[in-house]
Amino acid sequence: MAPLLYSKRLELNLLYTRPYIEIYWINFITSKYKKILSNHATTIGKNGIELDYAIRILTSFIETWLSQSNPEPLEDFQLRIEKLTTTTINQWPIFNRSV
């Protein structure tokens, strides 16, 4: 999925950064991800709120990445997401005062 998103980064940047479009885009893409991820509900969690959290996290990562005027390369984004999703949040540098 990420390679396709990166290939469409200019178009997606417009959708994520234009206030008059953004809310419609977010609602649209959230509903699409919900349909896709609900097929994997046992992996994500059977509780509806767990699915909602997973979708919000996923869309927030993508939105933050593609809202940048010059998004980092795909490989860097994939490494960043892998690191963020395999590290507990209290160990992220922004929350870890010992770093």
Side-chain angles (χ1 to χ4, degrees):
M1 173 175 63
L4 177 60
L5 293 173
Y6 191 72
S7 72
K8 301 291 185 184
R9 66 188 175 278
L10 298 176
E11 295 90 339
L12 291 169
N13 179 275
L14 289 173
L15 293 171
Y16 281 119
T17 59
R18 299 304 185 263
Y20 50 89
I21 299 174
E22 179 188 16
I23 190 66
Y24 299 108
W25 171 247
I26 297 291
N27 289 337
F28 170 77
I29 200 64
T30 298
S31 70
K32 293 298 181 187
Y33 283 136
K34 190 167 194 164
K35 287 178 186 173
I36 294 168
L37 293 178
S38 64
N39 293 331
H40 304 284
T42 55
T43 305
I44 297 167
K46 296 181 182 192
N47 186 330
I49 197 165
E50 290 172 348
L51 179 59
D52 288 344
Y53 274 123
I55 292 166
R56 293 282 183 173
I57 291 167
L58 175 64
T59 56
S60 293
F61 283 157
I62 294 168
E63 178 181 3
T64 302
W65 173 44
L66 295 175
S67 293
Q68 305 302 308
S69 57
N70 187 19
E72 65 187 341
L74 175 61
E75 296 79 17
D76 294 347
F77 171 73
Q78 289 173 319
L79 289 173
R80 180 183 308 282
I81 297 310
E82 182 179 350
K83 182 178 179 183
L84 289 172
T85 57
T86 58
T87 305
T88 58
I89 196 168
N90 65 333
Q91 295 300 311
W92 291 6
I94 194 169
F95 299 119
N96 189 343
R97 296 180 184 207
S98 65
V99 174

